[in-house]
Amino acid sequence: MTGDVLIEVQNLSIGFTGRSGKLLPVLRNIDLGVRRGETVGIVGESGSGKSTLALAMMGYLKHGLRVISGQSVFDGRDLLTMPSRELQRIRGGKIALIPQNSGQSLSPNLRVGAQLTEALALHGKLAPSAFSARVIQLLQQVRLPDPEVIASRYPHELSGGQQQRVAIAMALAGEPEALLLDEPTTGLDVTTQAHILELLSDIAVRFDKAMIYVSHDLGAIARVCSRVVVMYAGEIVLDGDATTVLTNPGHPYARGLLASIPRRGNPDLPMALEGRPPPPGGAGPGCSFVDRCAIAEAPCRAERPGLQPLLAGGRVRCRLPERAESIPTKRDGKPASAGGSFGEPLVRLSNLAISYARQSLVDQLLGRKPQGVPTVDRVNIEIRQGEVIGLVGESGSGKSTILKAVAGLVGPASGEIAYDKSGALPATVEQRRPEQLREIQLIFQNPDESLNPRHTIGQILAQPLQLYFGLSGGALRERSIAILERVRLGAHYLDRLPSQLSGGEKQRVAIARAFAAEPKLLLCDEVTSALDVSVQAAVLDLLDQLRRDNGTTYIFVAHDLAVVRALSDRVAVLYQGRLCEIGPAAAVYSRPCHPYTEALLGAVLEPEPGARPILMAEDNMELSPPAKGCPFQRRCHRKVGSICESTTPPQRDAGAEHVIHCHIPIGELTSAQTVSALGNAGRPHVQ
Amino acid sequence: MLRIFIHRLLLGIATVAIVSGIIFAAVEALPGDACTAILQRDASGERLANCRRELGLDRPAATRYAEWAFGAVRGDLGISAHNNKPIASLVGDRLKNTLLLAGCSLALGIPLALFLGVLTGLRRDKFSDLALSTIAIFAMTIPEFVTATVLIFVFSIWLGWVPGIVTASASSPLSAFFPGIVLPVIVLTMVMTAHIMRTVRSSVIDVMSSDYVQMASLKGVPYWHIVFRHALPNALLPAINVIALTVGWLLGGVVVVEKVFNYPGLGHYMIDSISDRDLPVVQAIALIVAAAYVGVNLAADLLAMAFNPRLRTLKARSP
């Protein structure tokens, strides 16, 4: 049930003074009302102004920002002009924030209990004697096990999921009328995210609060919200009920965004939304989306469209909402480069084990190996020439560690990495031959950190070209330009610095640098996870194109199963550094599958209204992999019995190179409930 | 916690032991020894050999090192070559004076530095921050002897408020150093305050723009409550290490300041001993200064651990 309007943002524009001295708007003429009991999602890519809008709803402006026009009214009063003493009463007491990164948003020097008590004391609805009981009750409400223990912990002693729950409990402490969620699950593992979203939608229903959910992730929004607002370049471009916005939106941007999201069940590449939004103050007199719009006409450039009501309900900022519906929201079915026949094996990981345990001084003197369970163990993977193999798993699954071992950044504790025809690769970069170094290239997750900020793009590309091919002068320049064009950037990028490029362009430069070495094997470590979805689609498309042109072999590491699906021929699922399942992508993403794969797939959030994830055992903090038995034994929802704790699971052959490491026979793994059936089963089951 | 403490303590003792070896070897490598210093021009032939036999200097270096090291552990640092008195009491007097000077400077400087650091950090880029930060840079960069000379000129020669040099001898009681100690304390305070203040300032700025401070303010926590409860306990942690370095610097004998004000502290004595070629004393002072550095840093690490729950409790999540 929705009630009267609680939060009302009226014609709000917020900006900052740019280096030129001009006032650059971050938000432009925002009009948005949120009613009691309503759950509104605000979605947009980085730089769209969604977080600025959310914080403005609490009367908070980040350093350097100021109000150009408008109001942010809460319960009849403008928060942006309110004296700070009164604001303090409203913040936390009437409207509370659940922040993005709880690990950093909880004060590191105070115990969880003390921080919750502080919130209770500030908004004094209880007698101090009742505080400690209420703290326990709040921690129970967010479904934390052992609330007494958690209350006595410091924030850093909790897992990411537990920290997020504490932040939610803290927001609930002041019994606010509205909850503001700023990317509350970004940065959490998919399985943890599923738990938190489940909790949040439960809170929304149970406490009947107004909820504003800010996220870049349409999947998460679909899970929690009944109404969705789409932001682009500081404007609201679309506002409507969740089902319409997520399935058949009336704005070209929203449609392009939907099409750019890779989906678990679809093996095709997502469609890229080319171009990028105008910077603050950079929008022309017309529509801000006009440069990327497929149906733009001359009048779209001349005049900025207003936010007009739609017949079917909701509002849209587009002159041609009817024509927008001709833009596809699903992919046109461009498949990733076909798998099938591949060449000779290029890389073979045999019985690979990697340990980060450091030798103590005593161990070194006695020549003892470090004690403890290795981070990665018993990994056997054969990768053939021209193949793309995806490694998936949550954080701590060892996928990046394996990549580092192949790159020669960490040495294996035992086992070997055989490469091409030359046999075992030397363990570290220092011992490898120049030819091997050239042939194996690595692309990192975050181009901001992997590109030297003081080198121009030309200098960055020149390094591999000089080092491996001895190019210089005109030949070097010519080659650099050719490589830039291959990643769809032009010669004019040569003299720019990384800071002058957008995130997607920077990642293209990183890809160009790797391809400049003409590698045989490309190691991709979460290369798209720092990018916006629309940009991610373009990068995936580029990687696919380059692979087709050059016959390069990829090891593609990502936590996002849908992204891996879109690019990979084969997929290996890892849990705590042990292989759970490996096989052709289509086979791994369907039945039969390992219980962990099942849980992972079930936790993937699709931007479909009504989709519900399956939840597996609580996101316990696991310090190290179990010494014996199956790596997944502690969280498995299909545990057979003590055999799972004592014996390493056998390799079960599911046909066509599909291998599952599990004690459950293939037949039974097939016959279980399917993920999609679970997805429609209404309330998910929690083991 | 106790295990870490014992571990660090053992490591500290090992460090001092290694340093003592290096000091001994360095002094050994110098031309001449205690006897050449005592005998000066007569240091040759029979007399030199006799003196060496008397002082045991003809024995192998390893034996003499062991003897020196065990003596030092028992508090016996040997005999000064200059005036044949036990080094322990000579150095002890100077150490006491240096501790007085360091103690006064720290008592004045640390609270002042913390206050100014927090103030400038909170008032970032405002006038008070700019003014104080600029003064701090001047205080840091002007050499001590310049500041000292200017202060002597103004306060003792011109205004005549305090004496310009200390006239008390090394073994006088502590009260004899007042008011002569005032100017050296001010000079030292100026230098150290600037260093600590700048560290605290940048750390306060970092913490005040952190997510948890923003969160606290969005939770409705009043400003001063945020500052004292959420921000400062975290912002002051980096100051501990800078303070430890400063304490080490003060205990190591602030040679220039002690010399300018004729203050009979360790640094002053060190310089005198070097020019007298009184090697046993030089050796003893070097050892004491090294031990003081190690001790102060150990104390700083333990303090940081005590105030930082992230260091104190076990790291919960594996990397």
Side-chain angles (χ1 to χ4, degrees), chain A residues 239-446:
Chain A
D239 174 6
D241 70 278
T243 317
T244 317
V245 173
L246 294 172
T247 53
N248 190 23
H251 193 281
Y253 169 64
R255 299 188 82 87
L257 201 58
L258 281 178
S260 69
I261 301 172
R263 310 213 180 194
R264 179 187 70 201
N266 189 337
D268 299 340
L269 282 174
M271 266 163 43
L273 189 59
E274 297 291 347
R276 56 159 141 163
C287 171
S288 53
F289 186 63
V290 67
D291 290 331
R292 300 169 79 183
C293 186
I295 56 165
E297 298 173 337
C300 294
R301 288 187 186 280
E303 198 191 350
R304 185 175 164 213
L307 195 56
Q308 37 182 307
L310 282 168
L311 282 180
R315 300 173 295 166
V316 68
R317 195 184 285 279
C318 182
R319 286 181 55 254
L320 311 158
E322 295 82 21
R323 287 210 14 222
E325 296 191 0
S326 65
I327 302 170
T329 58
K330 296 257 155 66
R331 288 159 243 177
D332 55 358
K334 177 184 171 193
S337 334
S341 58
F342 297 106
E344 296 288 297
L346 182 68
V347 187
R348 187 182 289 131
L349 313 179
S350 356
N351 258 325
L352 186 67
I354 305 162
S355 179
Y356 281 119
R358 274 184 303 172
Q359 268 184 318
S360 71
L361 192 65
V362 181
D363 285 344
Q364 274 175 12
L365 291 177
L366 299 177
R368 277 196 308 222
K369 288 238 167 173
Q371 301 295 308
V373 188
T375 313
V376 168
D377 202 10
R378 302 192 300 267
V379 169
N380 292 292
I381 303 177
E382 191 181 89
I383 302 154
R384 287 157 300 189
Q385 199 111 41
E387 190 179 34
V388 174
I389 185 147
L391 304 185
V392 292
E394 296 171 286
S395 53
S397 65
K399 51 195 193 306
S400 293
T401 304
I402 294 175
L403 217 55
K404 281 185 195 159
V406 177
L409 298 175
V410 289
S414 65
E416 65 163 29
I417 303 169
Y419 176 72
D420 212 0
K421 290 170 190 74
S422 58
L425 266 183
T428 58
V429 167
E430 292 81 28
Q431 302 157 337
R432 292 188 181 175
R433 294 199 311 274
E435 196 64 1
Q436 289 171 331
L437 293 177
R438 178 184 69 74
E439 286 178 3
I440 303 176
Q441 291 289 318
L442 177 63
I443 306 177
F444 295 92
Q445 170 171 1
N446 193 340

Side-chain angles (χ1 to χ4, degrees), chain A residues 65-190:
Chain A
L65 291 179
R66 59 197 178 90
V67 176
I68 302 170
S69 73
Q71 293 185 310
S72 171
V73 177
F74 182 86
D75 215 7
R77 302 191 52 198
D78 182 14
L79 297 182
L80 295 168
T81 53
M82 190 179 274
S84 64
R85 188 155 302 175
E86 286 174 58
L87 256 186
Q88 281 161 16
R89 272 206 294 279
I90 290 189
R91 289 176 180 167
K94 300 266 184 195
I95 174 166
L97 177 78
I98 298 172
Q100 169 167 7
N101 192 335
S102 306
Q104 287 163 23
S105 297
L106 298 171
S107 296
N109 60 314
L110 298 174
R111 291 176 199 275
V112 165
Q115 301 200 39
L116 286 167
T117 308
E118 181 185 58
L120 289 173
L122 283 169
H123 302 291
K125 290 167 188 167
L126 279 178
S129 58
F131 284 171
S132 58
R134 178 75 179 135
V135 164
I136 302 301
Q137 194 189 357
L138 282 166
L139 290 172
Q140 271 164 350
Q141 259 173 17
V142 294
R143 299 188 203 142
L144 278 165
D146 301 328
E148 288 86 0
V149 178
I150 300 275
S152 68
R153 290 272 170 87
Y154 286 99
H156 71 275
E157 295 174 290
L158 307 179
S159 74
Q162 289 171 329
Q163 288 169 343
Q164 196 62 49
R165 283 163 198 269
V166 169
I168 295 171
M170 199 150 82
L172 294 176
E175 292 172 39
E177 292 164 39
L179 282 176
L180 220 153
L181 302 99
D182 188 5
E183 303 261 13
T185 62
T186 308
L188 300 178
D189 277 323
V190 276

Side-chain angles (χ1 to χ4, degrees), chain A residues 55 58 60 62 88 91 97 104-105 107-109 114-115 118 122-123 154 156-157 163 170 623, chain B residues 211-212 214-215 217-223 225 229-230 233-234 309-310 312-313 316-318:
Chain A
L55 292 177
M58 294 189 81
Y60 187 91
K62 286 218 160 136
Q88 281 161 16
R91 289 176 180 167
L97 177 78
Q104 287 163 23
S105 297
S107 296
N109 60 314
Q115 301 200 39
E118 181 185 58
L122 283 169
H123 302 291
Y154 286 99
H156 71 275
E157 295 174 290
Q163 288 169 343
M170 199 150 82
L623 292 173
Chain B
D211 285 354
Y212 55 85
Q214 183 191 326
M215 183 64 209
S217 115
L218 288 173
K219 216 165 100 180
V221 183
Y223 181 75
H225 202 91
R229 204 167 138 85
H230 294 266
N234 299 302
R310 271 186 276 201
R312 188 171 62 226
T313 51
R317 252 181 304 175
S318 50

Side-chain angles (χ1 to χ4, degrees), chain B residues 102-272:
Chain B
C104 291
S105 310
L106 291 170
L108 183 63
I110 291 180
L112 184 68
L114 294 185
F115 173 74
L116 290 176
V118 172
L119 182 77
T120 49
L122 293 178
R123 314 254 329 140
R124 177 189 185 183
D125 296 341
K126 304 260 170 57
F127 176 76
S128 49
D129 171 31
L130 295 178
L132 286 169
S133 296
T134 313
I135 294 174
I137 291 184
F138 274 110
M140 249 165 81
T141 44
I142 298 175
E144 292 114 289
F145 61 87
V146 176
T147 339
T149 317
V150 171
L151 287 180
I152 290 175
F153 179 76
V154 173
F155 291 101
S156 63
I157 299 178
W158 192 24
L159 296 171
W161 289 354
V162 280
I165 54 162
V166 176
T167 47
S169 75
S171 52
S172 342
L174 292 180
S175 57
F177 293 99
F178 293 92
I181 201 172
V182 171
L183 287 185
V185 165
I186 290 176
V187 173
L188 292 176
T189 304
M190 276 174 69
V191 179
M192 61 177 267
T193 301
H195 271 286
I196 301 173
M197 169 188 149
R198 289 179 58 80
T199 311
V200 173
R201 175 182 180 271
S202 65
S203 153
V204 165
I205 287 175
D206 270 0
V207 170
M208 285 307 285
S209 58
S210 72
D211 285 354
Y212 55 85
V213 164
Q214 183 191 326
M215 183 64 209
S217 115
L218 288 173
K219 216 165 100 180
V221 183
Y223 181 75
W224 287 108
H225 202 91
I226 293 179
V227 170
F228 283 108
R229 204 167 138 85
H230 294 266
L232 288 191
N234 299 302
L236 295 184
L237 288 175
I240 293 178
N241 284 315
V242 183
I243 291 176
L245 281 176
T246 311
V247 175
W249 169 71
L250 286 172
L251 294 184
V254 271
V255 177
V256 174
V257 172
E258 287 185 356
K259 201 74 189 162
V260 171
F261 290 101
N262 192 38
Y263 188 89
L266 268 188
H268 196 186
Y269 190 39
M270 173 93 151
I271 295 293
D272 289 350

